[in-house]
Amino acid sequence: MASIAGQVLFHPTLSQSIRVWSTASGQDKIFRVVQYFARFYAWFLLARGNPANTLSASQWNSLKSGLSSTRKLIRLFKPIEHLQAALGTTSSPTQLEFYAAVARQLSYAGYLAFDSLVWVNGVKFITLNKDTAFRVNMISQRFWLAGILFSIAGGASKLNRQLKSLKQLERSSAKSSEKGDDAQLAQDEIRVIKAQSAAVRYQLILDLLDFWLPASALGYANINDGLVGIFGVITSVMAFNLQWKAVGLKK
């Protein structure tokens, strides 16, 4: 029995799950999955038009609101992290990528700073009137949208540059008669660029889906809560996958 218990308790998946949960970012990603699922499910219950579902929908909406508030608390000092990242951004291969990276970090810092004000007002530590609270939330959403757009612009530029480099390498490799170490180095470089471009594509897909969340909140896109919830769940799982891999690399 002790042997079985040891195998369960020290299983690599369980150990990594604990490491992910022990990080603020990991907790945020898990809460985000449940929050957006709750948003989708509350919409689904109400969309069925059955009055009996009203109470259940209200419970799921309460869960969504509670998790949203918890996530705001977890990210209370995240604006500082993004400001540090903006100041620490080094030169990039292109000016567009450099300025997009800096602007992205500054936008996310602004988003989370105003989002913190939303939380502070929500827990009644400060009191904002209804109009001011609404404006603060809208400013937060605009910063979030700007951050996503800068991320998309930087990612698109980076992917374009990588694909050009990849084509040149593959063309050179096909024409070259080199063998041995030089040929192996060329193949290794091709594999590295392919892996990097796959990571950029992944982030672009995440950003393109995330775009609809602040766009919907700001009224720029007319999509229902069900679709917003589905997009939120998908991007939350994608972001959690990145966090899972990042924690795994730190072992």
Side-chain angles (χ1 to χ4, degrees), residues 179-191:
K179 295 181 180 180
D181 292 343
D182 290 338
Q184 185 60 46
L185 285 172
Q187 290 303 315
D188 289 344
E189 192 172 354
I190 288 172
R191 277 193 290 271

Side-chain angles (χ1 to χ4, degrees), residues 21-38:
W21 179 256
S22 67
T23 65
S25 189
Q27 292 175 18
D28 178 58
K29 301 297 184 296
I30 293 169
F31 289 153
R32 193 178 193 265
V33 173
V34 181
Q35 176 192 339
Y36 278 100
F37 175 78

Side-chain angles (χ1 to χ4, degrees), residues 2 15 28-29 36-38 44 73 105 108 117 119-120 132 137 142 159 170 174 182 196 209 230 238 246:
S15 298
D28 178 58
K29 301 297 184 296
Y36 278 100
F37 175 78
F44 173 76
L73 175 59
Q105 297 294 347
Y108 284 146
L117 282 177
W119 176 80
V120 173
T132 302
N137 185 51
R142 289 188 186 100
L159 183 61
E170 288 177 335
D182 290 338
Q196 290 174 341
L209 290 175
I230 290 171
M238 291 176 72

Side-chain angles (χ1 to χ4, degrees), residues 75-76 78-79 82 107-117 140:
R75 302 178 314 208
L76 204 57
K78 286 284 284 184
H82 285 288
S107 296
Y108 284 146
Y111 156 54
L112 292 169
F114 279 94
D115 204 42
S116 296
L117 282 177
S140 169

Side-chain angles (χ1 to χ4, degrees), residues 8-86:
V8 172
L9 290 173
F10 294 102
H11 192 278
T13 301
L14 179 59
S15 298
Q16 184 156 338
S17 298
I18 293 170
R19 284 195 297 272
V20 171
W21 179 256
S22 67
T23 65
S25 189
Q27 292 175 18
D28 178 58
K29 301 297 184 296
I30 293 169
F31 289 153
R32 193 178 193 265
V33 173
V34 181
Q35 176 192 339
Y36 278 100
F37 175 78
R39 183 168 183 170
F40 160 75
Y41 196 60
W43 169 86
F44 173 76
L45 289 171
L46 292 174
R48 296 177 70 182
N50 186 348
N53 291 333
T54 304
L55 178 59
S56 293
S58 176
Q59 291 171 329
W60 283 96
N61 272 321
S62 295
L63 176 61
K64 176 197 72 175
S65 299
L67 289 173
S68 176
S69 180
T70 301
R71 291 182 59 231
K72 286 176 171 61
L73 175 59
I74 290 173
R75 302 178 314 208
L76 204 57
F77 297 101
K78 286 284 284 184
I80 298 172
E81 184 180 319
H82 285 288
L83 288 174
Q84 289 175 337

Side-chain angles (χ1 to χ4, degrees), residues 123-160:
V123 298
K124 309 301 181 184
F125 187 75
I126 63 171
T127 303
L128 302 175
N129 64 52
K130 188 175 180 180
D131 290 339
T132 302
F134 177 78
R135 284 198 299 271
V136 168
N137 185 51
M138 289 298 99
I139 291 171
S140 169
Q141 296 295 317
R142 289 188 186 100
F143 270 119
W144 184 14
L145 183 62
I148 293 172
L149 291 174
F150 283 124
S151 183
I152 290 171
S157 174
K158 188 174 184 179
L159 183 61
N160 182 57

